[in-house]
Amino acid sequence: MIAQPLTVLDHHYQELSIDGKDVIKGLTEKLKSLPPKYFYDDPGSQLFEKICELPEYYPTRTEAWILQEYADEIAAITNCCELIELGSGSSTKTQALLTAYQKIANSCRYLPVDVSGGILKTSVLQLQEKYPDIAIHGLLGTYEQALVHLESNYLQSRMLFFLGSSLGNFNQEECDIFLNQVSRTLQPGDYFLLGIDLQKPQDILEAAYNDSQEVTAAFNLNMLSHLNWRFQADFNLDLFSHQAIYNQEQSQIEMYLICQKTHPVHLKKLDLTVNFQASESILTEISRKFNLETMQKDLESKGLNPLKVFTDPENLFGLILCQLSL
Ligand code: AVI
């Protein structure tokens, strides 16, 4: 049992990341946008957990199925000592992997990384009970902070994993930066396991982001409530509506908040007034959908060589297991 279950990677990270400069930038551009990180205050994180259980939102249960099915095989191939999960959240899906590694490993360590201290601490404590043979230690911070920290704290053979198709919320440039950071954090021979949502017909995708219970709509609108308390803003949620469309050309879902009526919004703490026009939209998220072959080439170009691909019978979701060039 580890006495201290969490390492806080940067005691100032919360303050640093909420100065609101990104909000000012996004709301003063011609095509307005807001960073998706503002989805995840406490109510937003709870809404996201609900999204994961929706009948239309296939990614979570499909990836969980793949992990359940292939965890033993992944553990047998990698046989590594240190498992690091970026953006671990509640670590629910990860348990299939932990069970598989507990069966084979003599000494194994699991380091979940997340920006949300509450959920991280709770899951670390629960997992310690459930997996007494695995040393579990949470890292509280951003992906970037974790990757920098891990680069200089190398212990033994590693597998880094990034599940849930969170990579899809990065544009191509952010994706390249992230994957390069991943390669730098690994040593030759180490592993990277990536979960990605795959391209599929528009109707399936649009249903997943426009669910009938309107949980995704509430999740999207909650971003405005978050800005209201964080920056003393006066967004009226009744004057915006949720829209998610699939941009076929870019292979990405685009989530918007559409303004219903011309009106000003004041964000007191940011000393900013934004004049919204009726029908004007704010882009709140992209969720890219990938092609397995293209992604494998992309990974290879970063030195992350694909060893094996795991999918579900309908090819909805993919897991790519890579190894850093020896
Ligand atoms: C976290 N991320 C991978 C989710 C996605 O599908 O892009 C976020 C989400 N947005 C709406 N529904 C789910």
Side-chain angles (χ1 to χ4, degrees), residues 39-40 48 51 57 59 164-166 168-169 208-209 216 219 255 285-287 289:
F39 282 135
Y40 301 100
F48 181 64
I51 288 177
Y57 194 74
S165 203
S166 295
N169 300 132
Y209 292 82
T216 312
F219 172 73
M255 233 161 64
E285 182 180 64
I286 58 164
S287 189
K289 305 302 163 191

Side-chain angles (χ1 to χ4, degrees), residues 27 29-32 239-240 256-261 263 274-282:
L27 291 182
E29 266 163 359
K30 196 153 180 281
L31 296 172
K32 294 183 172 52
L239 296 183
F240 290 87
Y256 295 98
L257 287 166
I258 313 288
C259 174
Q260 302 301 308
K261 188 181 139 191
H263 71 289
V274 185
N275 292 308
F276 283 95
Q277 303 301 312
S279 316
E280 191 175 5
S281 57
I282 312 172

Side-chain angles (χ1 to χ4, degrees), residues 78-133:
T78 57
N79 195 21
C80 53
C81 313
E82 190 170 68
L83 306 170
I84 301 158
E85 179 170 15
L86 298 172
S88 52
S90 59
S91 298
T92 313
K93 284 174 295 186
T94 319
Q95 296 192 27
L97 282 174
L98 295 182
T99 304
Y101 280 91
Q102 182 158 262
K103 279 191 256 169
I104 63 154
N106 298 328
S107 68
C108 176
R109 189 159 108 125
Y110 172 53
L111 305 179
V113 177
D114 211 280
V115 281
S116 167
I119 199 165
L120 186 60
K121 195 165 179 189
T122 311
S123 67
V124 167
L125 293 173
Q126 282 169 355
L127 293 170
Q128 277 177 344
E129 293 279 314
K130 196 163 174 191
Y131 298 96
D133 297 337

Side-chain angles (χ1 to χ4, degrees), residues 98-235:
L98 295 182
T99 304
Y101 280 91
Q102 182 158 262
K103 279 191 256 169
I104 63 154
N106 298 328
S107 68
C108 176
R109 189 159 108 125
Y110 172 53
L111 305 179
V113 177
D114 211 280
V115 281
S116 167
I119 199 165
L120 186 60
K121 195 165 179 189
T122 311
S123 67
V124 167
L125 293 173
Q126 282 169 355
L127 293 170
Q128 277 177 344
E129 293 279 314
K130 196 163 174 191
Y131 298 96
D133 297 337
I134 299 181
I136 299 173
H137 190 92
L139 298 177
L140 177 61
T142 62
Y143 304 145
E144 207 174 28
Q145 287 163 349
L147 290 170
V148 170
H149 172 83
L150 291 163
E151 214 180 319
S152 55
N153 283 275
Y154 193 80
L155 283 182
Q156 36 201 339
S157 64
R158 273 181 176 163
M159 179 168 78
L160 239 164
F161 49 105
F162 193 45
L163 304 176
S165 203
S166 295
L167 192 75
N169 300 132
F170 296 164
N171 63 32
Q172 186 60 51
E173 193 191 340
E174 293 163 336
C175 189
D176 287 342
I177 293 171
F178 174 80
L179 292 176
N180 282 325
Q181 267 174 340
V182 166
S183 311
R184 276 202 305 274
T185 307
L186 298 176
Q187 298 279 322
D190 281 350
Y191 299 93
F192 177 53
L193 182 67
L194 177 67
I196 50 169
D197 196 9
L198 303 177
Q199 291 166 8
K200 57 183 62 66
Q202 183 162 1
D203 56 334
I204 301 177
L205 286 166
E206 290 190 344
Y209 292 82
N210 291 289
D211 64 278
S212 59
Q213 294 172 53
E214 301 186 358
V215 182
T216 312
F219 172 73
N220 199 5
L221 283 160
N222 177 69
M223 188 187 276
L224 301 182
S225 306
H226 184 182
L227 298 186
N228 280 350
W229 72 256
R230 194 175 281 286
F231 301 118
Q232 290 181 16
D234 58 3
F235 281 103

